[in-house]
Amino acid sequence: MSIKPPPFVPISRRSLLTGVAGWTASQLLAGCSNQAGVTLTIQLLQKSIPLQVLSEFTQANKTIALQTTPQPQLQSLFEQLQAWQRAGKPLPASSAWHLPDWIPLVGDRSDPSVADLVALGDYWLDKAIQQGLIQPLEPKQIPNWQQLDPRWQALVTRRTASGKAATQEQVWAAPYRWGSTVIAYRQDVFAARQLTPPSDWSDLWRSDLRGRISLLDQPREVIGLTLKKLGKSYNTQDLEAIATLKSELLALQQNIKFYSSTNYLQPLLLEDTWVAVGWSQDILPWITRSQQIAAIVPRSGTALWADLWVRPASSPTTTAAQAATWINFCWQPHIANQITQLSQAASPITLTLSPEQLPTTLQNCSLLLPDRRILQASEFLQPLPEPAIQQYQALWEQVRQAGRLS
């Protein structure tokens, strides 16, 4: 089951994952290491870290007992940080981020003890910093920090006030995997009808795809890909300055069968739609299961997302070294390759490896590791100021209303 965010947030990537196998196995790993000197507790997203990685860490670090607690959604992990800040008290029902307490592993039923590390989506990072939910990391304790691509270093680095005059940069998180927004399509349908497969966002406006596309129900994604088609940035703040934006969105509306951030793949599998825009993490498993489904990263660039490790504000300083050990472990090249191969998302470390250092299964996997030129043209969705958010909301409502009336 997936819980939708409020009517509009700048970006919200669906991260509901199911299964209890990861929970059981990770707890067993902790149990096997119960003779170690220090316990390192991590709250992570289900299935985001392969069990092989957890096992190898415990074998390589005998003095650290690893205890992991999986959560089904990134949103629930953000709420857990908020709950710890409130000394374990449940969030008020009026909170925009509140989830019902009957959802397993979420909210009021979570362990009140503070973890040493928590997984967090990049969208929530600024909120976590502003609300005082996390503490900065010390990159000097993490030797592999220097191996990160500069864009991924910049993603988690913020310049914060020091007194009233001076400022200093601090590292607030450690990215451990990332993905992108991609276009999936029925290659059997395109072949049977002798249609040219999509290669870029502009293909979504083609007349031969009228009523055959499903889009994410996300303003930043839909408006963003339209901006990209127009040669603009996903993070454009003044939408009113782009005269053709609204007309382009209305033209795109003619090709859309429906919007969904959770069920956009089922109609594609049933051939009810021929094209779907979605997140690489969702689409990659279906490509391996079905020869009919193919996908591309748009050549003009796309939206990127990242999952991060953060330290809760009240995590004890006594486990800082162990937390750094885990982060550094995840950034080792062979571990980065395991995460990339087995978690449906790429480690940022793979971007710094030569082709010879990558497994053959990854060397030509363009969905996980897009062409460098495409990646360079792609963008993380940055938080927007309030006036820009209002512009996105107003335009989104106008376009969706036009679609309902047509």
Side-chain angles (χ1 to χ4, degrees):
M1 183 175 182
S2 177
I3 301 299
K4 282 191 174 182
F8 174 75
V9 291
I11 175 177
S12 176
R13 174 168 57 89
R14 183 178 66 90
S15 297
L16 176 59
L17 301 174
T18 58
V20 296
W23 166 273
T24 304
S26 61
Q27 295 309 301
L28 289 175
L29 285 172
C32 291
S33 303
N34 59 10
Q35 299 302 316
V38 179
T39 298
L40 178 67
T41 61
I42 303 176
Q43 291 217 2
L44 45 75
L45 187 66
Q46 284 181 1
K47 299 183 181 179
S48 66
I49 294 295
L51 293 177
Q52 294 94 316
V53 171
L54 298 175
S55 179
E56 189 167 337
F57 179 83
T58 59
Q59 292 298 315
N61 298 275
K62 299 291 187 180
T63 61
I64 302 176
L66 183 64
Q67 182 177 350
T68 62
T69 302
Q71 296 277 20
Q73 300 180 57
L74 288 169
Q75 181 174 311
S76 65
L77 288 160
F78 178 77
E79 285 202 340
Q80 181 63 82
L81 289 170
Q82 290 181 317
W84 283 328
Q85 187 192 52
R86 294 171 172 81
K89 296 179 181 179
L91 295 173
S94 60
S95 170
W97 295 99
H98 180 71
L99 294 177
D101 62 4
W102 47 262
I103 298 176
L105 304 176
V106 178
D108 299 348
R109 298 188 180 188
S110 58
D111 189 342
S113 59
V114 179
D116 300 305
L117 284 172
V118 174
L120 195 68
D122 64 294
Y123 161 68
W124 283 274
L125 181 60
D126 279 319
K127 291 179 179 291
I129 296 171
Q130 293 164 6
Q131 295 180 25
L133 307 181
I134 60 176
Q135 57 183 288
L137 304 176
E138 179 47 71
K140 292 180 180 179
Q141 295 181 344
I142 312 171
N144 286 333
W145 164 259
Q146 297 301 326
Q147 294 187 33
L148 278 185
D149 183 283
R151 287 181 69 188
W152 269 253
Q153 290 182 346
L155 175 68
V156 295
T157 302
R158 299 289 186 276
R159 190 173 292 276
T160 55
S162 177
K164 292 186 178 181
T167 61
Q168 61 180 1
E169 286 190 343
Q170 292 180 305
V171 176
W172 289 91
Y176 69 94
R177 64 177 201 154
W178 63 276
S180 60
T181 304
V182 302
I183 300 175
Y185 65 97
R186 292 287 305 229
Q187 58 182 351
D188 56 335
V189 172
F190 275 71
R193 289 167 172 77
Q194 298 184 331
L195 300 175
T196 303
S199 62
D200 209 348
W201 295 123
S202 58
D203 289 309
L204 300 182
W205 277 258
R206 284 165 34 181
S207 59
D208 54 16
L209 297 179
R210 186 174 293 270
R212 292 294 185 176
I213 300 175
S214 60
L215 285 185
L216 295 167
D217 191 12
Q218 299 290 340
R220 287 294 300 276
E221 292 281 3
V222 178
I223 296 175
L225 69 86
T226 307
L227 288 166
K228 209 67 177 175
K229 184 213 178 205
L230 296 172
K232 307 296 183 180
S233 168
Y234 269 92
N235 298 303
T236 298
Q237 295 188 12
D238 187 4
L239 300 184
E240 295 176 355
I242 305 173
T244 59
L245 180 58
K246 183 176 180 180
S247 61
E248 289 282 357
L249 284 163
L250 293 174
L252 176 62
Q253 186 93 335
Q254 302 302 312
N255 286 5
I256 307 308
K257 190 174 185 67
F258 68 95
Y259 294 86
S260 175
S261 296
T262 57
N263 299 312
Y264 57 86
L265 284 177
Q266 289 86 337
L268 188 70
L269 298 172
L270 296 172
E271 206 176 316
D272 192 30
T273 59
W274 300 348
V275 175
V277 173
W279 293 296
S280 56
Q281 177 184 319
D282 293 341
I283 292 170
L284 273 163
W286 288 106
I287 292 177
T288 60
R289 297 172 192 168
S290 172
Q291 295 183 349
Q292 285 75 37
I293 306 298
I296 59 99
V297 182
R299 64 189 178 194
S300 62
T302 187
L304 303 175
W305 54 263
D307 290 340
L308 321 168
W309 298 121
V310 298
R311 286 268 288 166
S314 53
S315 292
T317 57
T318 53
T319 59
Q322 288 74 25
T325 298
W326 168 258
I327 293 171
N328 199 64
F329 178 81
C330 291
W331 285 342
Q332 294 183 29
H334 75 287
I335 296 301
N337 283 336
Q338 288 187 42
I339 292 174
T340 303
Q341 285 181 294
L342 301 174
S343 78
Q344 310 297 344
S347 166
I349 292 297
T350 57
L351 299 175
T352 66
L353 303 180
S354 66
E356 295 75 21
Q357 292 176 289
L358 296 172
T360 55
T361 54
L362 296 181
Q363 291 177 9
N364 297 308
C365 186
S366 59
L367 280 192
L368 277 173
L369 300 174
D371 180 271
R372 294 279 178 170
R373 289 170 295 182
I374 295 176
L375 190 58
Q376 189 62 36
S378 300
E379 304 171 77
F380 289 104
L381 300 192
Q382 300 170 1
L384 296 173
E386 186 59 32
I389 291 176
Q390 293 176 4
Q391 284 193 31
Y392 275 79
Q393 175 66 17
L395 180 58
W396 181 247
E397 291 177 352
Q398 291 170 22
V399 171
R400 293 301 302 275
Q401 181 65 22
R404 286 189 286 268
L405 295 177
S406 61

